[in-house]
Amino acid sequence: MRVTEGGVEFQVPDARDGASEGRGDGVFYNPTQELNRDVTVAVLRAYRDREPRADSYLDATTASGVRALRAANEGWDVTAADTDPDAVALARENAAAAGLAADVTVTERNANALMHESVFDVVDLDPFGTPIPFADAAFVGARDLVCVTATDTAPLCGAHFESGVRSYGAIPRNTEYHPEMGLRVLLSAMVRTAARYDIAARPVCSHVSRHYARTYLELDGRATRADECIDELGYVHHCEDCLARDAEWGLITHPPAECPACGSNRVVTAGPLWLGAIRDREFVAAVRDAVDDDMGEADRARRLLETVETELDEPTHYDQHRLCKQWGRSANAMDEFLGDLRAAGHDASRAHYGGTTFKTDADVEAIRVATAD
């Protein structure tokens, strides 16, 4: 079946042939990831302005080749790798049909081996499931930017606890802010992996959308910069009874025996997590400006990026409905709710993780008092 995305037409397997939104017997293609790919194209446009010499791009697990074709259509020198011969054949056909065969080198190679042999300005990891098997090689084989998608959200957010611990070397907790928990577990794992090679990997754009986490990490080869990133790791202590939480910076944690807010002993600790900013505000603004109306998810991409740009840098978000349920009262309009927080002297912003999510520097009790009728 023929599909068009961002002005590029390509062929993908029909879902009846085994390809779908999950892993199938055929070549993998996920139409619900169009937002992801639209934002990727906008990031590539904005990053070229940020680093004009950046030219080469690796799509490490190319499948049908759609991500590689869209990068090539933006003028990048693209290499597309896959170990599936059917995927390689389809990606080559799509590149030729799109008139991009000269701009896309499709190779039947293990991406890890390829990244150890060659260096690319931008490496894009968009595998099915966890990106961890590709992370070490990506930071060895990338010069400027590593783009990472993780679709294994249950391990990341703590719903599949043991799997999350094994894969990411961190303790994830399944809290009401589980999308952000997953993103910060992923960022922590990427930052720690890069630091092993004396590389700083700092997120310049990140988001969680439709059961996946996506981040873009800018690299710096100075060990001192890697140390600075390690310094932005830490832990979150979360009370399962009153929903209070506290962030503790550093790799050594001192979990409290009881909640300082309500005295409960049901306090769980998550980490090490990335506690720093998930994006560079100026860069995200440039990414938003790079979205154009030819993109199928342009409106959603702009709304998403605007929220990502403006949300506070607090390491966890709150859910208004969850808090109001906890307090036994009805939820009012979000703008009014946030306005009450600001009127009480607190910083507050919407968060991109959901329509009722927000960030504030107020603690749970201060939020309750500030937003009371």
Side-chain angles (χ1 to χ4, degrees):
M1 116 181 128
R2 304 297 298 180
V3 176
T4 300
E5 267 191 30
V8 177
E9 184 176 334
F10 53 94
Q11 181 176 318
V12 298
D14 191 288
R16 293 168 295 182
D17 297 329
S20 68
E21 296 180 12
R23 187 189 297 275
D25 295 331
V27 178
F28 181 75
Y29 169 71
N30 191 343
T32 67
Q33 290 270 1
E34 185 173 2
L35 173 66
N36 182 333
R37 292 185 288 267
D38 284 350
V39 173
T40 297
V41 168
V43 165
L44 291 176
R45 290 172 178 172
Y47 197 75
R48 179 158 274 168
D49 291 336
R50 186 182 181 100
E51 182 50 79
R53 67 171 179 75
D55 178 65
S56 57
Y57 171 92
L58 171 66
D59 181 4
T61 52
T62 200
S64 63
V66 53
R67 193 177 293 268
L69 293 181
R70 293 193 62 181
N73 197 48
E74 296 296 319
W76 289 79
D77 178 12
V78 174
T79 299
D82 208 294
T83 57
D84 182 349
D86 292 335
V88 169
L90 180 58
R92 284 175 177 158
E93 291 174 12
N94 281 332
L100 295 168
D103 305 297
V104 182
T105 299
V106 183
T107 179
E108 187 177 336
R109 290 291 310 280
N110 179 290
N112 284 328
L114 182 60
M115 288 185 285
H116 277 291
E117 294 172 2
S118 304
V119 176
F120 303 89
D121 296 320
V122 179
V123 168
D124 201 324
L125 306 180
D126 184 45
F128 183 90
T130 178
I132 288 295
F134 303 97
D136 285 88
F139 290 116
V140 170
R143 182 178 289 111
D144 296 309
L145 194 69
V146 173
C147 318
V148 183
T149 302
T151 60
D152 57 331
T153 53
L156 278 169
C157 74
H160 294 170
F161 180 81
E162 291 82 3
S163 178
V165 173
R166 288 195 307 271
S167 293
Y168 293 96
I171 301 297
R173 295 296 185 183
N174 193 13
T175 63
E176 72 272 13
Y177 46 91
H178 58 88
E180 186 163 17
M181 176 69 66
L183 175 60
R184 291 186 180 276
V185 167
L186 173 65
L187 287 170
S188 170
M190 295 297 105
V191 166
R192 286 180 284 124
T193 300
R196 288 200 293 269
Y197 302 97
D198 293 337
I199 295 171
R202 185 170 293 278
V204 291
C205 183
S206 307
H207 63 94
V208 179
S209 308
R210 287 186 176 176
H211 310 296
Y212 67 87
R214 177 73 166 170
T215 187
Y216 303 84
L217 299 149
E218 187 170 38
L219 308 185
D220 188 316
R222 290 172 287 182
T224 54
R225 293 291 186 261
D227 293 340
E228 292 170 3
C229 286
I230 292 295
D231 287 342
E232 295 192 55
L233 300 176
Y235 296 82
V236 168
H237 309 299
H238 173 84
C239 178
E240 296 182 304
D241 285 331
C242 74
L243 307 183
R245 73 289 302 265
D246 183 50
E248 180 184 7
W249 298 68
L251 290 179
I252 299 176
T253 183
H254 307 85
E258 61 182 32
C259 174
C262 73
S264 169
N265 63 1
R266 297 201 327 126
V267 178
V268 295
T269 297
L273 309 175
W274 173 258
L275 298 181
I278 65 167
R279 48 81 188 93
D280 175 307
R281 291 184 193 275
E282 183 178 341
F283 182 70
V284 172
V287 174
R288 188 190 67 243
D289 290 343
V291 174
D292 66 46
D293 292 335
D294 289 336
M295 296 177 176
E297 295 283 1
D299 290 341
R300 287 188 63 223
R302 291 187 181 109
R303 290 195 302 270
L304 169 69
L305 291 164
E306 181 177 3
T307 307
V308 169
E309 178 193 352
T310 58
E311 71 180 29
L312 297 177
D313 288 333
E314 299 295 326
T316 67
H317 65 269
Y318 295 92
D319 187 286
Q320 181 208 24
H321 285 186
R322 179 69 179 86
L323 289 176
C324 289
K325 180 180 179 181
Q326 178 86 2
W327 300 329
R329 71 192 199 202
S330 298
N332 57 345
M334 273 295 289
D335 287 342
E336 179 184 350
F337 186 88
L338 296 178
D340 289 340
L341 279 170
R342 296 183 187 116
H346 304 293
D347 288 335
S349 72
R350 287 182 178 267
H352 78 275
Y353 303 97
T356 59
T357 63
F358 68 97
K359 293 201 168 194
T360 180
D361 58 356
D363 61 24
V364 171
E365 178 61 14
I367 297 170
R368 187 188 68 80
V369 171
T371 59
D373 293 336

